């Protein structure tokens, strides 16, 4: 019975041939070309996927590239960064580094970003910007946001020849000549000037006020120059007074010595007096 149920050898061979793929040479030419195309597409797709995964793994945690309104964007918002990332794609148009813990911007921090148009550094801990930090961005950067940081004082040289519209609001500024020169050197972003308040100032009545309003009534740089000039004049007057006092004292002291000497000569006998006078004249000569 068991042997009777077995299929004939010819039938078994036909089924096995149907299950196993035919050699590539036995396939029609059109099918061979289609199979090769599919194989090449799968291989290329795998390579591109592996490359993108490697690129993504090179970015800091929390950072990712995207495209917004046709502009290449690189976002690192809320990524707990403590410095400006180094592996930012150099074709980036918009860079978001907001809401991190960056305390300082070193020289050439963005030098390798020749296509950068917008830079958002708001809501960090930035307290210092080294001269040349924005070098290489002067010709193409449109907007720079430094709001909500810890900037107290900043020289105009920190921005170089930057033409971007800058937001400097919500920082603990010290209102003085340095800040006045900075604001005259940069173009402020629309609506941001009201947020530049005097957190501290040499004059207490300025604290809490918008700096541009204070500047309308007070020229900090000229006021500082006048104070310096007055201090210099007082110092010079003091020196002149000391010199004149010393000269007066010197003349009076010499007059007193001369009077005493004349009285002494008068008290001597005539011969001795003439001898003393000739001796005095010889000494003077």
């Amino acid at each position: 019975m068991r042997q009777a149920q077995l299929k004939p050898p010819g039938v078994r061979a036909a089924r096995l041939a149907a299950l196993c793929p035919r050699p590539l040479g036995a396939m029609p030419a059109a099918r061979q070309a289609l199979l090769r195309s599919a194989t090449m597409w799968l291989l290329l797709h795998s390579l591109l996927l592996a490359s993108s995964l490697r690129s993504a793994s090179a970015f800091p945690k929390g950072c990712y590239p995207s495209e917004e309104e046709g502009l290449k964007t690189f976002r690192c918002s809320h990524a707990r960064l403590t410095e400006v990332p180094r592996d930012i794609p150099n074709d980036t148009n918009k860079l978001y580094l907001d809401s991190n813990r960056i305390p300082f911007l070193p020289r050439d921090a963005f030098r390798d970003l020749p296509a950068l148009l917008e830079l958002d550094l708001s809501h960090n801990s930035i307290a210092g910007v080294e001269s040349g930090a924005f070098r290489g961005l002067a010709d193409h950067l449109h907007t720079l946001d430094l709001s909500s940081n810890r900037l107290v004082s900043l020289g105009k040289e920190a921005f170089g020849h930057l033409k971007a519209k800058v937001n400097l609001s919500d920082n603990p500024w010290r209102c003085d000549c340095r800040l006045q020169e900075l604001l005259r050197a940069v173009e402020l972003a629309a609506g941001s000037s009201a947020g530049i308040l005097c957190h501290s100032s040499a004059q207490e009545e300025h604290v809490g006020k918008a700096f541009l309003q204070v500047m309308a009534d007070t020229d900090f740089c000229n006021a500082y120059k006048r104070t310096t000039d007055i201090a210099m004049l007082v110092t010079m007057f003091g020196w002149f007074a000391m010199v004149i006092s010393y000269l007066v004292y010197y003349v009076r002291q010499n007059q007193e010595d001369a009077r005493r000497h004349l009285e002494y000569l008068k008290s001597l006998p005539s011969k001795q007096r003439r001898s003393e006078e000739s001796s005095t004249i010889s000494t003077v000569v």
Side-chain angles (χ1 to χ4, degrees):
M1 288 289 293
R2 191 173 180 180
Q3 292 180 355
Q5 293 176 355
L6 294 174
K7 298 292 188 296
V11 176
R12 290 171 59 192
R15 289 196 174 182
L16 286 174
L19 291 175
C20 296
R22 286 180 290 178
L24 191 60
M27 293 183 182
R31 190 171 180 181
Q32 290 181 26
L34 182 61
L35 184 60
R36 288 195 184 96
S37 299
T39 305
M40 291 298 295
W41 184 86
L42 288 173
L43 180 61
L44 181 61
H45 181 72
S46 301
L47 290 174
L48 290 175
L49 182 60
S51 176
S52 62
L53 289 174
R54 280 197 302 271
S55 299
S57 63
F59 299 143
K61 185 179 180 181
C63 299
Y64 61 92
S66 63
E67 188 167 334
E68 300 177 5
E69 300 177 353
L71 297 175
K72 293 186 177 180
T73 304
F74 192 75
R75 286 191 175 272
C76 288
S77 305
H78 301 279
R80 299 183 178 181
L81 298 176
T82 56
E83 62 180 2
V84 177
R86 298 179 181 178
D87 298 321
I88 302 173
N90 57 12
D91 59 349
T92 299
N93 302 127
K94 299 169 68 174
L95 177 59
Y96 291 89
L97 299 175
D98 56 299
S99 304
N100 284 289
R101 304 171 183 174
I102 301 173
F104 179 73
L105 298 179
R107 184 188 302 271
D108 295 326
F110 308 98
R111 185 180 61 180
D112 298 326
L113 300 173
L116 195 61
L117 302 175
E118 298 181 18
L119 176 58
D120 189 348
L121 290 162
S122 63
H123 296 89
N124 274 280
S125 303
I126 300 172
V129 179
E130 190 174 4
S131 178
F134 303 105
R135 186 161 53 184
L137 304 181
D139 295 331
H140 46 83
L141 190 68
H142 293 168
T143 60
L144 171 62
D145 194 345
L146 282 167
S147 62
S148 301
N149 278 282
R150 298 180 182 177
L151 294 169
V152 176
S153 182
L154 192 62
K156 61 180 180 180
E157 64 277 1
F159 294 99
H161 301 287
L162 206 64
K163 300 175 183 177
K165 295 181 179 179
V166 185
N167 187 346
L168 297 171
S169 62
D170 299 323
N171 281 280
W173 292 109
R174 175 174 177 78
C175 293
D176 55 11
C177 177
R178 201 170 188 221
L179 180 59
Q180 178 174 306
E181 290 182 339
L182 172 66
L183 296 187
R184 286 177 175 174
V186 301
E187 183 180 357
L188 296 177
S192 66
S193 60
I196 303 176
L197 306 178
C198 296
H199 188 268
S200 62
S201 177
Q203 301 178 11
E204 290 297 326
E205 64 269 20
H206 296 155
V207 175
K209 295 182 179 179
F211 186 62
L212 292 186
Q213 293 180 357
V214 175
M215 279 177 57
D217 301 324
T218 306
D219 190 337
F220 286 84
C221 296
N222 284 339
Y224 175 76
K225 186 176 183 298
R226 285 196 300 270
T227 303
T228 304
D229 291 343
I230 292 172
M232 290 181 64
L233 287 174
V234 170
T235 304
M236 291 175 65
F237 178 78
W239 278 105
F240 278 121
M242 290 176 62
V243 171
I244 292 172
S245 299
Y246 177 77
L247 289 174
V248 170
Y249 169 78
Y250 181 78
V251 170
R252 287 182 177 178
Q253 188 68 27
N254 286 346
Q255 287 178 348
E256 184 67 22
D257 291 342
R259 186 183 62 80
R260 289 177 182 176
H261 187 66
L262 288 174
E263 289 178 355
Y264 169 72
L265 291 176
K266 289 178 181 180
S267 66
L268 294 175
S270 58
K271 290 185 178 180
Q272 187 177 359
R273 184 168 58 232
R274 285 195 297 270
S275 176
E276 289 286 341
E277 287 176 351
S278 61
S279 175
T280 303
I281 294 171
S282 298
T283 303
V284 171
V285 174

